[in-house]
Amino acid sequence: MLTPFTTPDDVRALLGVSDVELPDRVLNLPVYQIALRRKLQKLSDTEDVLALFTSIHSQSVASRSEDQQAFYDAIYHYSSVAAATQAGVSLALVAPKRITDDKSGVERFSDSPYRDVLANLESELLAAKGAVLDALSTLTASSLPQDT
């Protein structure tokens, strides 16, 4: 499952599709979680981003510092965009163009109608990665002991 990093609804919103076109049962396949966790692990060579996010997630929102919340939000946004990018790659192959009640039932796309959306998501993913790294740097710097 993609939670707690993001939700199927957030992924669909970024792709501009409905739960009929991209159901939860597809987005909750292990392949998406594995891909997302790998992307998150590659964000930093020195910090365990997954453990840090999980630790912050376990705290109540009210008890989080501003830096912790900024990191949490940055990871959530990055995760949403990364999962949408991953799901979007095969979306044109599996998403219905039109669903009918007759025997044929579903008409599929013959090209990639999501090309522009995916290009925008790739660009957004780079920006989201930058935001994560900035938030991580700020968070780790604020948790270091101060020189006296």
Side-chain angles (χ1 to χ4, degrees):
M1 298 200 44
L2 296 173
T3 55
F5 305 104
T6 188
T7 66
D9 286 338
D10 288 330
V11 172
R12 282 190 290 266
L14 287 166
L15 289 167
V17 298
S18 72
D19 60 348
V20 171
E21 296 164 300
L22 189 57
D24 285 0
R25 65 181 160 70
V26 172
L27 287 173
N28 287 327
L29 290 171
V31 68
Y32 292 110
Q33 179 185 19
I34 292 166
L36 178 58
R37 286 181 173 273
R38 285 183 177 168
K39 281 187 177 289
L40 290 171
Q41 288 170 333
K42 288 181 180 180
L43 286 172
S44 175
D45 293 332
T46 59
E47 300 293 332
D48 186 344
V49 172
L50 290 172
L52 189 53
F53 179 86
T54 302
S55 172
I56 294 169
H57 179 72
S58 69
Q59 300 173 22
S60 70
V61 175
S63 68
R64 296 176 190 165
S65 72
E66 187 176 315
D67 292 340
Q68 287 174 323
Q69 188 62 47
F71 175 76
Y72 183 91
D73 291 344
I75 288 288
Y76 191 93
H77 180 246
Y78 176 85
S79 298
S80 300
V81 176
T85 303
Q86 181 77 23
V89 170
S90 60
L91 193 57
L93 301 173
V94 297
K97 180 177 182 182
R98 181 177 29 195
I99 300 174
T100 62
D101 290 334
D102 63 9
K103 280 183 161 180
S104 61
V106 177
E107 181 182 338
R108 305 265 182 221
F109 290 100
S110 61
D111 60 355
S112 183
Y114 299 101
R115 189 175 301 122
D116 292 341
V117 171
L118 290 175
N120 289 338
L121 286 172
E122 286 290 343
S123 176
E124 182 64 25
L125 189 60
L126 288 174
K129 180 179 179 179
V132 167
L133 295 176
D134 288 346
L136 179 62
S137 176
T138 301
L139 180 62
T140 56
S142 69
S143 65
L144 295 174
Q146 301 297 318
D147 292 334
T148 55

